[in-house]
Amino acid sequence: MQFQESETIELKAIVKEDLKKEIIAFANTIGGTIYIGVQDDGKIIGVDNPDQTALRISNMVRDGIKPDLTMFIHYETLTQNKKNILKISVQQGSDRPYYLSDKGLRPNGVYVRQGFSSAPATDTAIRQMIKETDGHSFEGMRSLKQELNFKVLHHFFKEKNLSLSPSKMKSLELIGKDDLYTNLGYLLSDECPFTIKAAVFLGENETDFSDREEFSGSL
């Protein structure tokens, strides 16, 4: 068997942290296969302990990639030229986009396969994957911005003698099933970027105002 990198094949001599980017890229596109113990030029150097290497990679995936991708990855040990090679088969995931847990839903956390390499996804590509996974309801989609604060919303609830706990935010769908803020949460957060313009006209003439105001921040 000859090894050559392609759109769906990645060769790695040893396991490094950047392996997570390759796994994410395959899971976010059409899937692919990673061979550990094979250099970029196709030369086989082998893996000393395939089982231990597979366990290490499995832990990397579990701890470093979100949403959970473990069920879409299969490990197999191959032997060629009396050397062991670890084959990692990655299927396209059903909860795209997948991302580095310490980076979030940003281009430097979400990767896709482009040609023979993995590259950061654009904001447009990330939104498209979210739409395909979450559906077309804007409010229910995962928000690209996850560093959100809710001081105004907490104050509003307090005035109504209501609490705003994380469980309540989930039931109101401000937080999704994957514990990420939704676009509804974004709209109700202090970071909401949209502006609402309201006006009261004196009569039927829409150029004469008795009052007008703009509201920004939490919806």
Side-chain angles (χ1 to χ4, degrees):
M1 178 179 179
Q2 291 186 333
F3 296 94
Q4 185 175 355
E5 290 192 335
S6 68
E7 187 177 5
T8 57
I9 295 177
E10 179 71 25
L11 306 179
K12 293 289 184 184
I14 59 175
V15 176
K16 295 182 179 180
E17 278 295 310
D18 66 351
L19 180 64
K20 291 184 289 188
K21 298 179 181 179
E22 311 294 348
I23 293 174
I24 288 171
F26 281 139
N28 279 335
T29 47
I30 60 172
T33 304
I34 303 172
Y35 294 97
I36 307 295
V38 184
Q39 295 179 336
D40 289 344
D41 59 3
K43 181 181 179 181
I44 300 171
I45 61 174
V47 176
D48 291 336
N49 193 326
D51 291 341
Q52 186 176 349
T53 302
L55 179 60
R56 179 187 171 190
I57 296 171
S58 178
N59 290 335
M60 288 171 58
V61 170
R62 185 192 66 231
D63 299 335
I65 298 176
K66 290 185 177 180
D68 182 15
L69 188 55
T70 54
M71 69 184 74
F72 297 100
I73 300 177
H74 175 71
Y75 304 91
E76 181 183 358
T77 300
L78 307 178
T79 302
Q80 188 162 332
N81 300 338
K82 297 182 179 180
K83 295 180 179 179
N84 290 323
I85 300 167
L86 182 61
K87 176 183 177 182
I88 308 171
S89 301
V90 184
Q91 299 177 23
Q92 183 188 66
S94 60
D95 290 323
R96 300 181 302 147
Y98 294 90
Y99 57 91
L100 295 170
S101 56
D102 60 343
K103 299 295 184 181
L105 284 169
R106 306 180 185 135
N108 65 345
V110 181
Y111 289 83
V112 293
R113 194 72 176 174
Q114 291 183 350
F116 292 7
S117 62
S118 301
T122 63
D123 284 337
T124 300
I126 294 172
R127 289 192 184 95
Q128 182 61 33
M129 282 187 278
I130 290 175
K131 183 182 293 185
E132 291 172 358
T133 300
D134 294 352
H136 293 272
S137 171
F138 174 79
E139 292 86 352
M141 291 180 187
R142 285 165 283 177
S143 170
L144 291 183
K145 186 174 179 62
Q146 291 292 318
E147 296 78 21
L148 304 179
N149 297 284
F150 296 89
K151 292 180 180 179
V152 173
L153 191 61
H154 275 285
H155 180 71
F156 176 81
F157 269 64
K158 189 175 181 180
E159 285 185 332
K160 304 296 182 181
N161 294 318
L162 298 172
S163 63
L164 187 62
S165 62
S167 60
K168 179 65 70 64
M169 294 178 75
K170 267 196 167 183
S171 67
L172 294 174
E173 299 185 353
L174 279 64
I175 298 176
K177 61 182 180 180
D178 50 7
D179 293 324
L180 294 176
Y181 290 120
T182 62
N183 281 331
L184 178 59
Y186 190 21
L187 290 173
L188 294 173
S189 72
D190 302 339
E191 286 75 20
C192 176
F194 304 108
T195 299
I196 299 173
K197 298 181 179 180
V200 178
F201 300 109
L202 287 172
E204 295 182 359
N205 188 339
E206 295 185 1
T207 61
D208 297 327
F209 299 94
S210 63
D211 191 17
R212 57 180 169 178
E213 193 171 347
E214 291 188 4
F215 302 93
S216 58
S218 174
L219 182 61

